[in-house]
Amino acid sequence: MDGLSGPEFRHVGLNLQDHPSLTTQQVESNIFGFWVFLMSDAVIFALLFAVYGTMLVGTAGGPGPAQEFKIGPAFLETLILLTSSFTFGMASMSMKYGRSALGLFCWLLVTLFLGLAFLGMELNDFAAMFAHGAVPQRSGFLSSFFVLVGMHGLHVTAGALWIIVMMVQICVFGLDARVKINIIRLGLFWHFLDVVWVVIFSVVYLQGLMR
């Protein structure tokens, strides 16, 4: 059990066994800084959830959650995003224990595909709502819904672009310490988006359909 307390096990995606202790200390500092960023992002989402909660009754005679939300597509989007979290975990494991960057690259590619599939389904949901006249300017409820869910979609878009950048860095630089640190940051960001989406699915879609 003593081996499990070593710094090389503190982050599953990073193997520091071949790097000096100074690199380890720098990694811990960089990862902590990114955690602080994620916490600030969590505060923003918390505020958006609060605004959405206060606007639930503000339909202004327009469509409400029961008329516009579809549980089937939302559930499928949840499955896709959770699966992408699993594939990113496999990418991290591949980086830590794999002998080449090919496995990591392939798992990142699968994660990217799942992220793009999620975005495509979400845009299709938005288009269907627009076709019904459920546009953001229709009511306070729809404005808060599109801001909350759209903000998450923007984050997923940023995560997908980040995956592409990391795939390019892997091809150019290989698996050096800098690339590994960036992949750890990306992993935290991607899993954070999954957690936010699970809350959106539970609070926005499920509770909206039960009203």
Side-chain angles (χ1 to χ4, degrees):
M1 294 296 291
D2 290 340
L4 294 178
S5 62
E8 64 272 23
F9 290 101
R10 291 177 187 173
H11 304 290
V12 67
L14 187 64
N15 186 349
L16 296 175
Q17 290 175 332
D18 299 328
H19 294 285
S21 57
L22 180 61
T23 303
T24 303
Q25 295 171 3
Q26 186 62 47
V27 169
E28 297 294 339
S29 175
N30 290 339
I31 297 302
F32 176 76
F34 195 73
W35 271 110
V36 173
F37 163 75
L38 288 180
M39 292 303 101
S40 65
D41 223 17
V43 170
I44 293 175
F45 275 106
L47 291 174
L48 293 179
F49 275 111
V51 172
Y52 174 80
T54 59
M55 287 293 176
L56 264 177
V57 296
T59 58
Q67 290 77 40
E68 292 301 326
F69 293 171
K70 303 291 184 292
I71 189 63
F75 181 68
L76 185 56
E77 290 164 24
T78 303
L79 289 181
I80 290 175
L81 212 53
L82 290 177
T83 304
S84 76
S85 201
F86 169 77
T87 58
F88 201 103
M90 293 302 296
S92 298
M93 296 295 288
S94 180
M95 180 172 70
K96 184 174 181 66
Y97 298 109
R99 295 182 177 179
S100 72
L102 180 60
L104 168 62
F105 189 92
C106 291
W107 282 115
L108 287 178
L109 185 63
V110 175
T111 304
L112 174 63
F113 172 77
L114 292 170
L116 294 178
F118 170 85
L119 288 173
M121 290 194 65
E122 190 168 72
L123 289 175
N124 185 64
D125 290 345
F126 286 178
M129 293 179 68
F130 288 171
H132 300 158
V135 293
Q137 60 269 31
R138 179 65 180 82
S139 66
F141 158 69
L142 289 170
S143 296
S144 60
F145 168 79
F146 281 109
V147 170
L148 172 59
V149 180
M151 176 66 78
H152 178 268
L154 285 177
H155 277 66
V156 175
T157 303
L161 292 174
W162 194 354
I163 290 176
I164 294 174
V165 170
M166 291 315 305
M167 292 169 70
V168 172
Q169 287 193 2
I170 291 171
C171 293
V172 174
F173 303 112
L175 280 179
D176 61 15
R178 180 181 53 181
V179 172
K180 288 181 177 179
I181 292 171
N182 287 335
I183 289 178
I184 288 176
R185 291 193 185 115
L186 174 57
L188 292 174
F189 183 71
W190 197 261
H191 296 312
F192 169 75
L193 296 183
D194 283 359
V195 172
V196 173
W197 177 258
V198 169
V199 178
I200 289 176
F201 178 72
S202 303
V203 174
V204 175
Y205 287 96
L206 290 184
Q207 292 194 20
L209 290 170
M210 289 189 298
R211 290 175 62 86

